[in-house]
């Protein structure tokens, strides 16, 4: 087992070997050929330009990197399996969406730019690869927004803010995948090698207001046209996150259970509970006051 | 005498007392208790405790919504509670043929649409909930879900987008789904065309019923046409605002907000005999001729029932 990244790993990674390489570079083909790789797990899809230095670098890493990696895979005779971590953002988010997307549904509006576009491009390259190498089992995992105590992502930092902005007059449905379940589903896919495209998400949906309330966060409504303008003190709100926070999205996970045979350990609600432990609780005066009143009343009625 | 009194006080300083300080705390408690009794009844402590439990559940987010965003608790405790007096006291809705709706399992209610705003849909929701105890799941146009607040309330109340994916998903899960195939053509038609059914879309609702094998229950609503008689339209402004029509009624915008009060017409709503679709094969849902025929059958049933109900109603406000 070898890991490939542009930056060396922090800390001990156990028995995993490490090669420092850039997937945009043909070096990746040499790595795959030399090590006689039989399984490639492609995780390197970045959601935000933040850490990489600009949108163009991000696009290059995502799209060109995937093309380069698949080109290397195509000529590797030892290869048996490819697992690609995709995202439910390929479905977009709009007012014309069905409530629950199944894997066979197309986005109602094809994303024209940004991360969602990258993912759509990546998936089409992966489909092309699967056609050219029918002997390789290709698994595409469309994961819902990953949340957990260690996750750093635009939506995680959105809910970590002390005051959470929400889009005025909208309360989108959200679905989460716990970080442990993300590792779980990757491992499961590598072990079982079931080919196909699968939605992966925790059970159930929560609305944005429910998540904010369960995290004991105050929300501030901001009209939709202004949501994109301001960056609200450092928060990052790319177009696809703004669409999600307006219209929400749900995906159907029947195939994940029946065909892939994977069962997430955390539901969407349990993921939020686990995430809440990593969030500084804010003083919830209203609830405490009501709790005090309630205990006095129930005490009084008992006399 | 008043002069002498004023003179005797002239040397002293006066200070106004805070009005609340005059009332002792015990009096406040007694007043609050009697107010609580007034609002919650004699068992006010338990009632209030229950209400606080409910309030805490809402504040902490510990309630659940289904995958379409339906918030059953909020709908039943607030939305339906607000609409119920309007249904019973204002429109005096008379419900007929409720036995034609299956008590469980999927079914598709198909209704005429009128009234400038979809009040007929709301009244149908309350009626079905109160008479049968089932939740109607309305299918709405995408414009509804594009609008802030309106779209939010619609989802919380159990609505979802009118598309074959959602309709069939709901019907397969045994929900009672409501559809208004005339759409904006029905609801935004001029008063002169009242009770004349518009085109029934492209019959997508029939395909969905055929594919899932659920019965179609035709629903005819009389009374909604008169609540906001639409006598004019400003198409140019509507286009600018991105809405299908901009209504002018005899009282709106003439009377401003007062013009928003609906006229108290008398409503009759009748559920017709269900049209069974389970005899057809699911693949026949793609047969356009069959879909047109069933669509026509539903449309004709509703149209004839409307004429009959209009004859039975004593007068518009009777």
């Amino acid at each position: 087992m070898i890991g490939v990244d542009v930056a060396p790993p922090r800390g001990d990674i156990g028995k995993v070997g490490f090669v420092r390489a850039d997937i945009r570079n043909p070096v990746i083909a040499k790595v795959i050929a030399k090590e006689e790789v039989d399984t490639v797990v492609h995780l390197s899809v970045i959601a935000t330009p933040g850490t990489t230095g600009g949108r163009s670098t991000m696009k290059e890493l995502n799209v060109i990197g995937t093309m380069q990696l698949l080109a290397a895979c195509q000529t590797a005779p030892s290869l048996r399996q490819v697992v690609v971590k995709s995202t439910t953002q390929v479905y977009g988010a709009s007012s014309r969406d069905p409530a629950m997307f199944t894997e066979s549904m197309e986005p109602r509006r094809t994303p024209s730019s940004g991360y969602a576009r990258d993912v759509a491009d990546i998936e089409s390259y992966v489909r092309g690869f699967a056609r050219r190498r029918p002997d390789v089992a290709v698994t595409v995992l469309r994961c819902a927004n990953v949340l957990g105590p260690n996750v750093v992502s635009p939506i995680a930092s959105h809910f970590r803010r002390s005051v959470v902005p929400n889009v005025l007059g909208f309360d989108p449905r959200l679905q989460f995948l716990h970080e442990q379940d993300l590792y779980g589903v990757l491992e499961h896919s590598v072990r079982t090698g079931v080919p196909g495209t699968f939605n992966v998400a925790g059970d159930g949906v929560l609305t944005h207001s429910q998540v904010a309330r369960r995290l004991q966060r105050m929300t501030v409504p901001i009209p939709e046209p202004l949501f994109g303008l301001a960056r609200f003190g450092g928060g990052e709100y790319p177009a696809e996150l703004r669409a999600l926070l307006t219209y929400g999205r749900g995906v159907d996970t029947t195939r994940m259970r029946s065909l892939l045979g994977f069962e997430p350990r955390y539901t969407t609600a349990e993921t939020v509970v686990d995430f809440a432990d990593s969030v500084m609780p804010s003083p919830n005066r209203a609830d405490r006051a009501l709790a005090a009143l309630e205990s006095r009343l129930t005490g009084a009625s008992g006399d | 005498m008043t002069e002498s009194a004023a003179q005797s006080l002239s040397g002293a300083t006066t200070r106004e007392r805070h009005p609340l300080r005059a009332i002792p705390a015990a009096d406040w408690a007694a007043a609050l208790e009697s107010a609580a009794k007034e609002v919650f009844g004699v068992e006010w402590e338990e009632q209030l405790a229950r209400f606080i439990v409910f309030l805490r559940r809402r504040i902490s987010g510990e309630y659940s919504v289904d995958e379409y965003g339906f918030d059953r608790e909020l709908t039943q405790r607030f939305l339906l509670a607000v609409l119920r007096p309007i249904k019973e006291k204002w429109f005096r809705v008379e419900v007929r043929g409720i036995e034609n709706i299956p008590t469980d399992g999927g079914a598709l209610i198909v209704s005429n649409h009128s009234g400038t705003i979809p009040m007929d849909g709301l009244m149908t929701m309350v009626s079905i909930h109160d008479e049968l105890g089932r939740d109607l799941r309305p299918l709405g146009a995408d414009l509804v879900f594009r609008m802030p607040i309106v779209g939010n309330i619609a989802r919380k109340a159990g609505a979802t987008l009118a598309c074959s994916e959602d309709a069939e998903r709901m019907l397969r899960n045994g929900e009672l789904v409501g559809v208004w195939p005339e759409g904006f053509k029905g609801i935004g038609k001029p008063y002169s065309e009242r009770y004349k059914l518009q085109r029934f879309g492209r019959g997508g609702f029939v395909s969905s019923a055929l594919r899932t094998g659920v019965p179609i229950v035709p629903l005819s609503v009389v009374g909604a046409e008169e609540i906001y008689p639409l006598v004019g339209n400003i198409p140019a402004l509507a286009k600018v605002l991105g809405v299908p029509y901009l209504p002018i009624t005899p009282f709106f915008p003439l009377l401003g907000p007062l013009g928003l009060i609906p006229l108290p017409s008398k409503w009759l709503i009748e559920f017709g005999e269900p049209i069974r679709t389970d005899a057809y094969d699911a693949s026949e849902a793609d047969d356009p001729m069959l879909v047109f025929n069933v669509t026509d059958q539903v449309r004709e049933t509703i149209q004839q029932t409307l004429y009959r109900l209009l004859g039975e109603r004593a007068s518009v406000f009777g």
Side-chain angles (χ1 to χ4, degrees):
Chain A
M1 201 191 281
I2 51 168
V4 179
D5 200 349
V6 284
R10 281 167 295 187
D12 188 16
I13 52 169
K15 278 190 278 182
V16 181
F18 181 78
V19 177
R20 187 170 180 175
D22 190 331
I23 57 167
R24 288 171 291 178
N25 193 300
V27 168
I28 194 75
K30 291 196 185 108
V31 176
I32 290 173
K34 187 170 147 271
E35 304 279 343
E36 289 180 1
V37 169
D38 58 3
T39 302
V40 169
V41 181
H42 181 33
L43 305 170
S44 192
V45 183
I46 7 176
T48 46
T51 50
T52 52
R55 168 75 190 123
S56 59
T57 323
M58 170 183 153
K59 182 162 188 88
E60 209 168 277
L61 274 170
N62 284 345
V63 181
I64 309 298
T66 302
M67 286 177 78
Q68 211 41 272
L69 178 70
L70 292 174
C73 289
Q74 200 167 321
T75 52
S78 57
L79 195 72
R80 293 285 157 269
Q81 193 188 1
V82 172
V83 177
V84 179
K85 187 215 161 266
S86 179
T87 141
T88 55
Q89 300 197 29
V90 290
Y91 299 116
S94 81
S95 59
R96 295 162 177 264
D97 288 352
M100 299 301 264
F101 278 102
T102 62
E103 288 84 348
S104 56
M105 291 178 195
E106 298 277 320
R108 292 300 160 105
R109 286 199 187 94
T110 324
S112 54
S113 66
Y115 177 57
R117 176 58 191 267
D118 286 3
V119 179
D121 285 352
I122 288 166
E123 279 206 10
S124 82
Y125 290 131
V126 172
R127 276 194 295 276
F129 170 79
R131 270 198 305 277
R132 288 190 292 275
R133 281 289 301 265
D135 58 316
V136 176
V138 178
T139 312
V140 176
L141 303 170
R142 289 178 178 162
C143 301
N145 293 81
V146 180
L147 208 60
N150 307 311
V151 173
V152 179
S153 72
I155 196 150
S157 30
H158 170 74
F159 281 118
R160 282 202 183 98
R161 314 184 68 152
S162 50
V163 175
V164 176
N166 71 311
V167 181
L168 176 73
F170 289 93
D171 197 9
R173 293 164 303 125
L174 303 170
Q175 257 178 335
F176 296 113
L177 180 69
H178 193 276
E179 54 183 72
Q180 294 297 332
D181 283 325
L182 172 64
Y183 307 142
V185 74
L186 289 169
E187 195 199 328
H188 177 92
S189 308
V190 169
R191 217 176 44 241
T192 56
V194 183
T197 302
F198 302 98
N199 292 334
V200 183
D203 251 2
V205 300
L206 289 178
T207 61
H208 184 276
S209 64
Q210 273 180 303
V211 177
R213 286 171 191 183
R214 288 180 189 203
L215 296 172
Q216 304 193 3
R217 280 298 185 261
M218 219 173 80
T219 52
V220 174
I222 290 166
E224 199 219 330
L226 300 178
F227 213 88
L229 295 178
R231 296 187 70 197
F232 317 117
E236 236 182 308
Y237 290 94
E240 60 274 1
L241 180 59
R242 291 200 307 270
L244 179 71
L245 292 180
T246 311
Y247 300 111
R249 184 194 309 121
V251 295
D252 178 277
T253 52
T254 313
R255 271 168 58 95
M256 170 189 82
R257 283 166 224 284
S258 59
L259 252 80
L260 186 64
F262 178 73
E263 190 74 42
R265 279 174 51 214
Y266 293 83
T267 64
T268 291
E270 286 163 358
T271 305
V272 170
V273 169
D274 197 44
F275 177 72
D277 293 341
S278 73
V279 177
M280 285 278 282
S282 57
N284 199 338
R285 291 201 192 85
D287 190 55
R288 269 198 314 217
L290 282 174
L293 193 56
E294 188 195 338
S295 64
R296 285 186 65 174
L297 275 170
T298 45
S301 62
D303 302 338
Chain B
M1 192 194 133
T2 45
E3 261 177 42
S4 65
Q7 268 168 5
S8 70
L9 278 173
S10 64
T13 53
T14 57
R15 196 169 37 187
E16 252 182 53
R17 229 174 16 175
H18 193 268
L20 292 185
R21 216 178 277 166
I23 306 167
D27 287 10
W28 271 115
L32 273 179
E33 194 176 325
S34 68
K37 273 197 187 121
E38 201 63 45
V39 176
F40 294 103
V42 188
E43 306 236 302
W44 67 276
E45 283 176 351
E46 274 171 49
Q47 289 273 2
L48 188 60
R50 261 203 296 276
F51 181 67
I52 288 171
V53 170
F54 165 74
L55 216 57
R56 282 190 76 194
R57 190 165 59 238
R58 300 304 303 188
I59 287 179
S60 59
E62 295 299 326
Y63 51 91
S64 60
V65 298
D66 79 355
E67 56 189 31
Y68 307 95
F70 176 38
D71 191 335
R72 179 173 278 114
E73 187 179 57
L74 195 71
T75 303
Q76 292 185 352
R77 293 191 71 151
F78 280 101
L79 187 70
L80 295 185
V82 167
L83 292 171
R84 194 163 291 122
I86 302 176
K87 174 206 160 217
E88 285 166 4
K89 301 276 158 36
W90 193 258
F91 296 129
R92 295 145 287 142
V93 178
E94 209 175 300
V95 183
R96 300 177 183 181
I98 195 82
E99 68 281 355
N100 287 321
I101 306 176
T103 46
D104 60 343
L108 187 64
I109 309 260
V110 181
S111 171
N112 61 320
H113 210 12
S114 57
T116 309
I117 63 162
M119 187 64 87
D120 48 357
L122 297 174
M123 291 299 121
T124 309
M125 278 177 71
V126 192
S127 303
I128 291 178
H129 180 266
D130 289 0
E131 308 260 336
L132 202 68
R134 289 194 74 175
D135 298 304
L136 180 70
R137 311 296 303 264
L139 300 183
D142 75 294
L143 175 71
V144 171
F145 301 101
R146 208 169 66 219
M147 285 193 283
I149 301 166
V150 176
N152 189 9
I153 295 172
R155 277 221 177 271
K156 296 250 157 91
T160 193
L161 182 75
C163 61
S164 59
E165 291 94 342
D166 280 13
E168 284 161 36
R169 192 181 174 86
M170 276 189 169
L171 291 171
R172 281 205 184 89
N173 287 340
E175 301 279 1
L176 186 61
V177 178
V179 65
W180 291 262
E182 293 171 274
F184 291 112
K185 296 187 301 295
I187 194 172
K189 67 178 178 293
Y191 186 63
S192 56
E193 285 177 39
R194 60 191 178 280
Y195 299 115
K196 278 188 203 132
L197 287 187
Q198 305 294 302
R199 184 166 58 82
F200 258 33
R202 277 165 277 183
F205 69 96
V206 171
S207 304
S208 290
L210 287 172
R211 233 171 258 137
T212 49
V214 301
I216 298 174
V217 181
L219 166 63
S220 316
V221 177
V222 162
E225 295 275 16
E226 293 94 3
I227 60 172
Y228 298 108
L230 196 132
V231 292
N233 187 8
I234 318 170
L237 193 56
K239 205 165 190 179
V240 171
L241 293 174
V243 292
Y245 56 90
L246 208 77
I248 298 174
T249 75
F251 308 109
F252 182 84
L254 195 67
L255 298 185
L258 272 179
L260 294 176
I261 300 173
L263 296 180
S265 54
K266 167 75 181 171
W267 286 38
L268 299 174
I269 75 175
E270 181 170 318
F271 298 95
E273 230 166 85
I275 296 160
R276 286 180 60 175
T277 60
D278 49 357
Y280 302 105
D281 201 62
S283 64
E284 287 179 272
D286 300 322
D287 175 2
M289 210 57 226
L290 176 69
V291 172
F292 279 134
N293 284 340
V294 179
T295 310
D296 262 1
Q297 189 190 344
V298 177
R299 193 171 175 276
E300 268 312 298
T301 310
I302 296 174
Q303 184 69 78
Q304 294 311 320
T305 315
L306 283 177
Y307 289 144
R308 182 167 53 75
L309 289 176
L310 278 170
E312 288 174 25
R313 190 170 63 161
S315 78
V316 169
F317 301 109

